[in-house]
Amino acid sequence: MRFGCARMSSSSVGSTAWTDYSAEIKLRFPDDIRNDAGLVFRARDPNDFYSLRFQGGLARLMRFTGGGFIAIAAQGINILNNPDQFHNLKVDVAGSWARGFINGQRV
């Protein structure tokens, strides 16, 4: 499924009926993705969702709504673009809040 207006590589998890959950994925950043990949959660539709993603040296927790992204949190995380290295993305969601982690480091 394509989420939002930008081309991005994302995995989605959950259901609109879910309120409290954790989701975790392991991913690699092949050269053709240019370190832009992530996890989509609380997706109501392709134009209304939250995302934890890694983009060019920044870990970002964002909401996409109304045609644009709203930054919730961002943090610089130094990872090497090694196609053989896996990275761990995790979100904890409960009620109205969400926390994101990349390689165990909170965003």
Side-chain angles (χ1 to χ4, degrees), residues 48-84:
D48 188 3
F49 60 89
Y50 289 84
S51 178
L52 173 64
R53 55 190 323 94
F54 187 85
Q55 292 178 302
L58 279 179
R60 297 176 190 259
L61 185 61
M62 302 180 289
R63 180 168 186 199
F64 185 86
T65 185
F69 282 104
I70 300 166
I72 297 170
Q75 181 172 342
I77 294 181
N78 185 17
I79 65 168
L80 300 175
N81 186 12
N82 180 346
D84 296 324

Side-chain angles (χ1 to χ4, degrees), residues 33-44:
I33 293 179
R34 295 191 181 102
N35 287 343
D36 184 0
L39 177 65
V40 170
F41 60 100
R42 284 198 171 158
R44 291 185 178 97

